[in-house]
Amino acid sequence: MALVVAQEVPTSSVMAVPHGPAGVGEARHRMRKDLRAGGVPDPVIDDAVLILSELLSNAYRHGRPLGRDGGAGEGEGDGGIRAAWRVDERGRLTVEVTDGGGPTRPFPATPSVTARGGRGLNIISALSQEWGVRDASGEVTVWAALSARAGFATRVDLAPELDFSDLDGLV
C-alpha cells in the first residue's frame, strides 16, 4: 500500500503586472512555480507559460492599463495589467489577462512570412483547447483554456511546410 501525502497546492493565482514588458518574466516565473507546486506536468506548464507571455505582450502592446479609479486590485490602480491562472476540479487550466481595453478587439491575424509580429493569437489558438475574449466595465479579458493533465495537451504544428531534414549535418 502506497502512502499518499496531500499537500496544500495553489489552485488559482492572480497578480498585478506592470503595463509594459518589465513584468512578463516575473509573471512567467510565478506561474511556473505555482503550477509545478500544483503537480501540473512540465509540458503543460511550458504551454501555459507561452500562452501567458503572448497574452501579456498583446495586452501591453494593444491594450490600455487598467483604470486608476475604484475597483482595481493591488498594483493595478497605477496602470497595471491583471494576470490570473487556475486549475479547476476537472483538470482544466485557464490562463487570463485583463487590461483596460483598446481601440480594437483581439483577433488572430494573418501575418506575412517576413512580419515581425502578429502570430500571438495563432500560437494561443494552437496550444489551447479554446480561447476567447470577455468585455466588462471597460476591462477586456483574453483567456485560454487547456488540459492540465499530461497527454491531453493540444498540439498543432505551426509550420508543417518546413522541412528541416536537410539541416542534420549543420548543427
Side-chain angles (χ1 to χ4, degrees), residues 15 23-33 49-50 52-53 56 85:
M15 71 180 290
V24 176
E26 181 183 342
R28 287 192 316 242
H29 178 75
R30 179 167 163 196
M31 174 189 258
R32 186 172 296 281
K33 180 180 167 192
V49 167
L50 180 54
L52 178 68
S53 295
L56 286 171
W85 51 90

Side-chain angles (χ1 to χ4, degrees), residues 96-118:
E96 56 185 46
V97 170
T98 303
D99 61 40
T104 60
R105 185 168 175 83
F107 67 94
T110 308
S112 70
V113 174
T114 58
R116 300 192 81 193

Side-chain angles (χ1 to χ4, degrees), residues 41-101:
D42 282 340
V44 175
I45 293 172
D46 292 342
D47 289 352
V49 167
L50 180 54
I51 289 169
L52 178 68
S53 295
E54 292 296 335
L55 291 176
L56 286 171
S57 296
N58 285 348
Y60 81 75
R61 283 188 189 118
H62 306 292
R64 291 183 292 270
L66 290 166
R68 299 178 193 286
D69 53 334
E74 182 183 331
E76 295 167 11
D78 60 359
I81 299 168
R82 185 172 51 248
W85 51 90
R86 68 185 168 281
V87 178
D88 67 19
E89 65 281 348
R90 296 173 296 148
R92 178 178 164 113
L93 169 59
T94 302
V95 180
E96 56 185 46
V97 170
T98 303
D99 61 40

